[in-house]
Amino acid sequence: MATEIKVPTLGESVTEGTIGEWLKQPGDAVAVDEPIASLETDKVAIEVPSPIAGVMQELKAEVGDTVEVGAVIAIVTAGAAPAAKGEEAGRKEQQADEGKEERSDAASSDSSQTLSPAVRRAVLEHGIDPSTVKGTGKDGRLTKEDVIAAAKAKGDTPAPAASTASEAPAPAQAGARGTERVKMTRLRQTIAKRLKSAQDTAALLTTFNDVDMTAVIEARTKYKDLFAKKHDIKLGFMGFFAKAAHLALKDVPSVNAQIDGDEIVYHDYVDISVAVSAPNGLVVPVVRDVDKKGFAQIEKDIADFGKRARDGSLTMDDMSGGTFTISNGGVFGSLMSTPIINPPQSAVLGLHRIEDRPVVVGGEVVVRPMMYIALSYDHRLIDGREAVTALKIIKEAIEDPTRMLIDL
């Protein structure tokens, strides 16, 4: 019996996606709930599973095609894959013809493991056998980091396998220059449009301050072992800044609001979007109800988002909503930046690297671990006084974390 595979519901306000990659081809065996295609949406890349076990019969769309929710993209026939005539002869011919590149999903058919595009590229680049690597991603699937770690464990970076060597282009002559055109992913196109829209629509302005990180560093040093033992998660900086931001947003509600037409929408809750680097670009999953959560749960949520962003398992619900954003460019070494707001939000907090700098404390010059922080905001809604006040509240809470406990 043939079953139509349709584009699933992709989330609120998302009506279409783009076929990013076919993970199964006609004639391939398919297990129940096994991904058959990777679908790119405006926010995340998701996998389309097969509802039945059987054989991939037909593909109704090509890579790069835009498909709407509910559209039929493939046909799967129930039952086992038929054995092709001359299969043994074909197998021998394939073994003899080492110039052909083997499909990575065929190499791992016994384990029913499907590799994402990023993982597949890493496997080929490092010459790693994916069946020998234990995956740390969702349901034990391989991540790019798993492959890179396996390559490092081997102590070298092997050249590409012989099966691809014959297809490699000849080395460029000395002094020659070349170009490469790569189609933008749907996610990258959406990021570009949203950021440009923010610049075109909002009256963007950024205010800066610097923070003495001494108190937070001392607190982490003193309690990190007890915290990890009790909560099974590391005590990071983001938990401190999320709670500090909560204090600021509560005292300055406009920073937690947004413009909708000719109205201002105020929120009595704090849902913080946390910028996370993913293989296809920057994504901003949402830590909900920061105003009600403790440090441990906030850190767990952020760690989980980071892991799932790397292995591509974030969902549309993870990305939806958010009343304020925190972006930490410091993890990449940034000293200072002017972050762009995440529409329809009205403000974003930018964090940067910590470095020892001379500062004056009590009339004396001392060396302290300092961080520049930036608050970019929509001046249509937020006045300069409000923005500066909000950033000052964050600074004071970080320099004296006790304020977070006694609600000051």
Side-chain angles (χ1 to χ4, degrees):
M1 181 180 69
T3 299
E4 296 180 336
I5 308 300
K6 299 181 179 181
V7 177
T9 300
L10 301 174
E12 184 179 356
S13 76
V14 181
T15 61
E16 62 182 24
T18 301
I19 301 293
E21 182 185 19
W22 283 108
L23 305 176
K24 292 291 183 179
Q25 295 293 325
D28 289 351
V30 179
V32 176
D33 293 330
E34 183 177 12
I36 64 167
S38 174
L39 192 65
E40 296 179 356
T41 71
D42 290 347
K43 296 182 179 180
V44 294
I46 64 173
E47 294 177 337
V48 180
S50 172
I52 65 169
V55 180
M56 178 68 80
Q57 188 69 30
E58 182 182 359
L59 306 183
K60 294 287 189 178
E62 298 181 357
V63 172
D65 285 356
T66 297
V67 290
E68 297 183 352
V69 171
V72 177
I73 59 173
I75 303 293
V76 174
T77 303
K85 294 182 179 180
E87 182 179 7
E88 182 62 28
R91 187 182 300 114
K92 291 181 179 179
E93 179 181 353
Q94 182 178 14
Q95 291 174 348
D97 186 6
E98 295 184 356
K100 294 181 181 179
E101 179 179 353
E102 296 182 358
R103 288 178 46 211
S104 58
D105 57 345
S108 58
S109 58
D110 290 341
S111 60
S112 298
Q113 176 172 276
T114 302
L115 306 181
S116 70
V119 174
R120 189 167 299 175
R121 285 194 296 270
V123 166
L124 293 175
E125 289 173 2
H126 296 281
I128 297 296
D129 180 357
S131 65
T132 64
V133 183
K134 182 179 180 181
T136 61
K138 183 180 180 181
D139 298 327
R141 296 184 63 185
L142 284 183
T143 67
K144 182 179 179 181
E145 288 72 21
D146 295 333
V147 177
I148 294 175
K152 290 181 178 178
K154 291 176 63 177
D156 58 4
T157 304
S163 58
T164 62
S166 61
E167 299 179 6
Q173 296 181 356
R177 300 192 303 170
T179 61
E180 180 184 8
R181 289 181 180 270
V182 179
K183 183 177 176 62
M184 293 175 70
T185 64
R186 190 180 184 93
L187 176 60
R188 175 52 60 184
Q189 293 179 47
T190 301
I191 291 173
K193 291 177 182 177
R194 286 174 60 84
L195 294 182
K196 185 56 182 174
S197 174
Q199 288 184 320
D200 291 341
T201 304
L204 292 176
L205 194 63
T206 304
T207 183
F208 299 92
N209 215 319
D210 60 356
V211 178
D212 185 344
M213 297 293 292
T214 300
V216 167
I217 291 175
E218 289 179 349
R220 290 184 68 220
T221 301
K222 183 176 181 179
Y223 297 112
K224 64 179 181 180
D225 292 338
L226 290 174
F227 188 89
K229 182 177 180 180
K230 180 175 181 178
H231 300 293
D232 194 29
I233 190 71
K234 291 182 179 180
L235 178 59
F237 289 118
M238 288 297 289
F240 286 94
F241 278 101
K243 295 303 290 185
H246 158 231
L247 294 182
L249 301 180
K250 185 182 66 173
D251 286 359
V252 190
S254 61
V255 181
N256 196 44
Q258 65 187 53
I259 294 176
D260 184 12
D262 60 356
E263 297 179 331
I264 300 175
V265 180
Y266 291 96
H267 304 97
D268 62 358
Y269 53 87
V270 176
D271 287 353
I272 295 183
S273 303
V274 180
V276 177
S277 180
N280 291 329
L282 195 69
V283 293
V284 279
V286 181
V287 180
R288 306 190 190 280
D289 298 318
V290 170
D291 49 317
K292 299 176 183 178
K293 290 179 178 177
F295 279 75
Q297 190 57 55
I298 292 174
E299 294 289 357
K300 288 180 179 179
D301 288 351
I302 293 173
D304 178 60
F305 284 145
K307 181 178 182 297
R308 291 198 284 136
R310 290 189 295 272
D311 63 31
S313 61
L314 287 174
T315 67
M316 296 299 297
D317 289 340
D318 294 329
M319 312 289 290
S320 301
T323 61
F324 182 76
T325 293
I326 298 179
S327 179
N328 186 6
V331 296
F332 304 110
S334 173
L335 176 64
M336 187 179 293
S337 68
T338 55
I340 300 178
I341 64 173
N342 178 26
Q345 298 173 18
S346 299
V348 53
L349 174 67
L351 309 183
H352 304 91
R353 76 171 185 252
I354 302 170
E355 63 177 9
D356 289 340
R357 292 201 300 268
V359 295
V360 178
V361 178
E364 296 182 352
V365 176
V366 296
V367 175
R368 291 291 176 87
M370 304 296 294
M371 175 196 288
Y372 288 116
I373 56 176
L375 184 75
S376 290
Y377 59 99
D378 188 347
H379 211 344
R380 296 178 303 163
L381 172 60
I382 304 169
D383 294 331
R385 175 182 60 83
E386 294 174 309
V388 171
T389 299
L391 195 61
K392 185 170 179 287
I393 291 173
I394 294 173
K395 168 185 170 70
E396 292 173 343
I398 294 298
E399 293 184 339
D400 183 9
T402 304
R403 287 174 173 266
M404 302 181 202
L405 300 178
I406 59 178
D407 197 15
L408 281 180

